[in-house]
Amino acid sequence: MALEPVANTPGLWRDPQWQAGMPGLYALLAGVSAYPHLEGGSAPAPDAFGLGQLGASANTAASLFDWLRADFRHEGLPLVWCQLLLSPTAEEKAGLDARGLVHYAPADHATLVKAIQRWTGQVPSAPAAARQSRTLFFFSGHGVQSNWRALLLPSDYLDPDPGAPQLQNCISTRELQDWMEQSPVAEHLALIDACRNEFSPLASRGATANTCFPLLQAGTQVPRTAASLAATSPGTQAYQVPGQPHTLFGQAVLNAVRGAGGGDAQLEFRELVTAVRNDVNALLRAASQGQLEQAVRPRVEGDDALVVTELLAGPVPPPPVPVPGGLPRVGAARPRPDALAEALRASAERFDPALAVHDAIAFELLVQDFGEIHRRMGHEYASHLWREGVRAFGLDDGQPLGGGLVLQAVERDDPSSQVQVDLELPARAGGVLLVFEGAQYVQRERLAVALPTDANGPVPIRLSLQFGPALPGEPPRLLKLQARLGPSAHNPHYQYVWQLLREAELGSPRKAAERIDPERLRAAAQDAPNGQVALTAGLLLQASTGHADQLQAFPRSLLQRVPALPDAAVLWAAALRHALAAGKKKPFGESAPQAACVAALASLQQRGLPYFADSLELAERLLRQALRGPLKNGQDAPLRAVQQAIAQLYEVAQPDGQFPVLAGLPRPAALPGQGALTVPEMRALLGRR
C-alpha cells in the first residue's frame, strides 16, 4: 500500500499498516534551496562567507520522494516509513503546490536534528527485522568541508538571531557514516548531493558539527553494506545549472533509478555509481564547454553489490531527442558499462601525451637545472614550486633527505593545471614527509604528506597536483595535492597492488578485494626488503571492504617484520576484533586476544599515527568499539590518548588520495602560535617527535 501522510506530524509518511519494529525501507529525504540567512536570502547574516541561494535542491528531493512512493520496488523490502524535509524557493513551492505535495517539514537545524533522531530511533533493532530492512538517506543542499569532516548545512544556517553565528549547527556526514556502520540494519544507502569546498570559518577552529546521531553499542550483527555516494570529492564543488529542475547529481540518480529494463532488471550500487558519474559530467560538459568536472565519489563498508532498486519491466524506449544541456536517459536498458575501463579512459584524457616526460631523474639533480624542471612541469608557477618549494624529510628524525628521491615520470595538461608525478621514495626505515611550501606557490602556504617506505627497497608514489587561481585575478598556485601508491616497472608486489587499487578506486572495491590472491600477499610478506608497504595496502583493501576475515595472521607477520609500522598494528587489531566478533576464543593462537587488540591500538602512541587514510579511519572505528567494551583498569587512558591524537590530526588533514594531506593554513585555534603550521608541528601531529 502507498505511503500516506501522518496527521499532525509534518513531513512524516507511513504505510497505514506500519507498526514499530516493522521490517522494510526507512527513508529520510531533505532538500534545501532557500537559505534565508545566506546571501540573497530574506534575512541575511552580517557575514554569509560567500554562501548563497540554491535553485533546485528542494525539488530534487521532492522528485526522489515521488519516485519512492510510486515506483520503488525491491522484493521483500517494502517502503514503510519516510520523512520529507524541504526548504523550497518560491518557484519550487509553487510547483510542489501544483502537484499536491504539501505534507513536508522545513529543513531547518532543529527540525532536521529531530527528524534524524526519529529516523534512527524507528529503524528496526530486533535481529530478524533488522536483517530484512534498509535505510536511505538523501540530502541536497549546501555542503562544506572542515578539513577531514564533510558537513551539510540546514536551511537556517548562520541565523543571526542568537548573535554570534552558530557555525556548528550543521550535520556531519562522518557521524552518518559511523551510525550506518554500527547499526544492525542489513543495508544502508546514503546519497549526498552537496559541495565539499573548504570552509575556513569552521576549519580554522578545528570544529565540526554538533552531534545528533546516536552512539550505538558494538554488537555482533553488523550491516551487510553501508554505502554512500557523494556528489563530489573533498575540497571540490558540486554544480547546479540555472533553470534546470534538478541538480546534476540528483538528475543522474533519478535517471538511473527510473530506467526501463527487462523482466528481472536490477540496478546495483556499482552500476548506480557508473551511471551517475557519467551523467553528471555529460551535463556539466555541455553547460561549461568542457571546463568543469564533478568527481562523484563512492564509499562502501561491506558489499557494494547491493540492489538499489528493481527496475520496471517494459519495452526499451526510443532514443531521446537531444536537448541542449539535457542529460541522456540511462537505466538497465543501456549496455552495462565497464566502470573501470570508462574511468581509466577518462583519467587518461586529462593529460596531453605529447607533453609527457618518462625519463627518470634524481630530485637533487632536477632542482639544479631550471630548464629541466620547466621541460617536465611546463608553466612557471609549477616549475618554480619544484625548484624552490619542494622538500623531503625523514619522518622519523625530521632531517632533510640526503638523496634517493627519484622522479620517474611526469604527465600534465597544456596549461599545467593538472600535473601527475611518479616518484620513487628512497629505501629507508621510518617514512618520508614530502612538503610543498611557499605562500607564492601554495594556496594554504604549506601542504605535506607522510609516505611509508620499505627499509631496503624503493616505494613508488603517484602525486596528483592541481594548480589554479584561488580567487579571480590571482596567479595560479598549488590548490590540491593527492598521493597514492604508484605503478612499478620492476617490483611485482607494487605493480600487483597498483592494479588492485586502481580497480578499487575507479571500479568496484568489492571486486578488487575479492581478486586478491593470498599467495601474492604471502610473497610480499616474505620479501622483507621490497614488499611491506604493498602488503599493507593489500590488507587494508580487504579490511575496508568487509573482508577482515581474510586478513588471517598476515598483519601479525607484518608487525613482526616492521615493528615501527603503525598501519600493521591497526590491521592486527582489526583481525583480532573480527575473530572475536565471530566467536573465536583463541584466534591465531592468541591466548588473550582482547588484550592483544587493545595493546595494538594503544601502541599507536609510540608508533605514531597510520600512514594510509583508510587505516586512520579504521583505527578510529576500532578505538570507539574498544572504548565501549569492558576494559581493565588503566587500559582506557592510552586508547583515549590515541583517539584524541587522531581527532587533532583531522583538524588539519584532508582525506583525498590514499594518504592524508596536512595543510599549513588555517591554523586551528587550539594550537598555539601564529602563521602556517611548521614542519616540526606537522610531524608532531602525526605522532613523530
Side-chain angles (χ1 to χ4, degrees), residues 133-437:
S133 298
R134 172 190 289 172
T135 70
L136 172 64
F137 180 92
F138 177 83
F139 179 92
S140 182
H142 271 304
V144 297
Q145 189 84 19
S146 178
N147 293 318
W148 201 275
R149 309 295 190 180
L151 310 172
L152 308 177
L153 306 188
S155 63
D156 58 344
Y157 196 65
L158 298 184
D159 184 353
D161 182 61
Q166 304 297 301
L167 293 173
Q168 291 171 266
N169 280 355
C170 49
I171 307 300
S172 168
T173 63
R174 176 69 193 191
E175 283 190 15
L176 167 64
Q177 185 73 30
D178 290 344
W179 175 80
M180 292 194 304
E181 291 175 10
Q182 297 169 40
S183 166
V185 169
E187 296 178 345
H188 300 273
L189 176 61
L191 303 172
I192 310 297
D193 185 14
C195 294
R196 297 184 67 175
N197 301 82
E198 182 70 33
F199 190 52
S200 60
L202 275 173
S204 63
R205 293 166 169 80
T208 183
N210 291 318
T211 298
C212 64
F213 284 88
L215 296 176
L216 301 181
Q217 293 297 318
T220 57
Q221 183 170 319
V222 296
R224 180 166 56 251
T225 297
S228 61
L229 186 62
T232 192
S233 295
T236 56
Q237 185 173 353
Y239 297 93
Q240 297 187 14
V241 177
Q244 293 289 331
H246 302 125
T247 67
L248 302 188
F249 177 83
Q251 183 66 65
V253 169
L254 287 165
N255 282 353
V257 299
R258 289 171 175 170
D264 62 350
Q266 294 181 338
L267 179 70
E268 295 186 352
F269 179 72
R270 55 177 172 266
E271 293 174 319
L272 176 72
V273 173
T274 301
V276 171
R277 278 175 168 167
N278 291 347
D279 282 4
V280 163
N281 285 294
L283 181 54
L284 193 54
R285 282 193 296 270
S288 66
Q289 288 77 51
Q291 298 302 306
L292 299 174
E293 184 180 49
Q294 189 167 319
V296 174
R297 184 184 179 101
R299 176 190 171 101
V300 180
E301 178 73 18
D303 189 353
D304 71 345
L306 85 159
V307 175
V308 176
T309 186
E310 295 171 358
L311 298 168
L312 286 170
V316 177
V321 177
V323 177
L327 281 169
R329 292 289 304 155
V330 299
R334 69 192 184 281
R336 296 187 177 185
D338 183 327
L340 181 59
E342 287 289 314
L344 288 172
R345 178 189 58 77
S347 178
E349 288 179 353
R350 294 182 301 159
F351 306 111
D352 185 342
L355 302 175
V357 179
H358 289 281
D359 50 311
I361 185 171
F363 176 72
E364 61 265 29
L365 296 179
L366 177 72
V367 296
Q368 299 173 16
D369 187 341
F370 186 75
E372 185 61 29
I373 298 175
H374 198 62
R375 181 173 78 92
R376 296 167 189 265
M377 304 299 167
H379 291 255
E380 289 190 353
Y381 48 78
S383 301
H384 281 296
L385 169 64
W386 278 89
R387 183 176 69 173
E388 301 172 13
V390 181
R391 297 191 294 162
F393 301 88
L395 186 61
D396 53 348
D397 58 14
Q399 297 302 307
L401 289 188
L405 187 66
V406 178
L407 274 74
Q408 294 289 339
V410 177
E411 296 188 37
R412 62 183 178 89
D413 59 9
D414 183 60
S416 294
S417 61
Q418 302 283 340
V419 180
Q420 178 177 281
V421 180
D422 284 339
L423 299 174
E424 274 196 350
L425 303 180
R428 70 183 313 275
V432 167
L433 186 68
L434 190 63
V435 180
F436 294 76
E437 60 185 6

Side-chain angles (χ1 to χ4, degrees), residues 600-686:
L601 294 171
S603 74
L604 298 179
Q605 274 194 296
Q606 291 75 42
R607 302 178 198 274
L609 296 184
Y611 288 97
F612 288 84
D614 282 347
S615 186
L616 194 64
E617 294 192 338
L618 178 59
E620 184 191 35
R621 191 157 65 246
L622 291 168
L623 284 162
R624 285 199 308 273
Q625 293 170 348
L627 286 166
R628 288 199 300 267
L631 293 171
K632 295 181 179 179
N633 289 339
Q635 284 186 323
D636 63 327
L639 297 185
R640 294 191 188 282
V642 175
Q643 192 178 52
Q644 179 61 28
I646 293 175
Q648 290 178 340
L649 183 63
Y650 280 172
E651 293 176 9
V652 300
Q654 302 166 324
D656 214 5
Q658 274 182 298
F659 305 100
V661 173
L662 281 66
L665 292 173
R667 172 185 286 269
L671 290 179
Q674 295 181 339
L677 294 174
T678 65
V679 169
E681 286 176 320
M682 289 179 169
R683 286 185 57 247
L685 284 168
L686 291 163

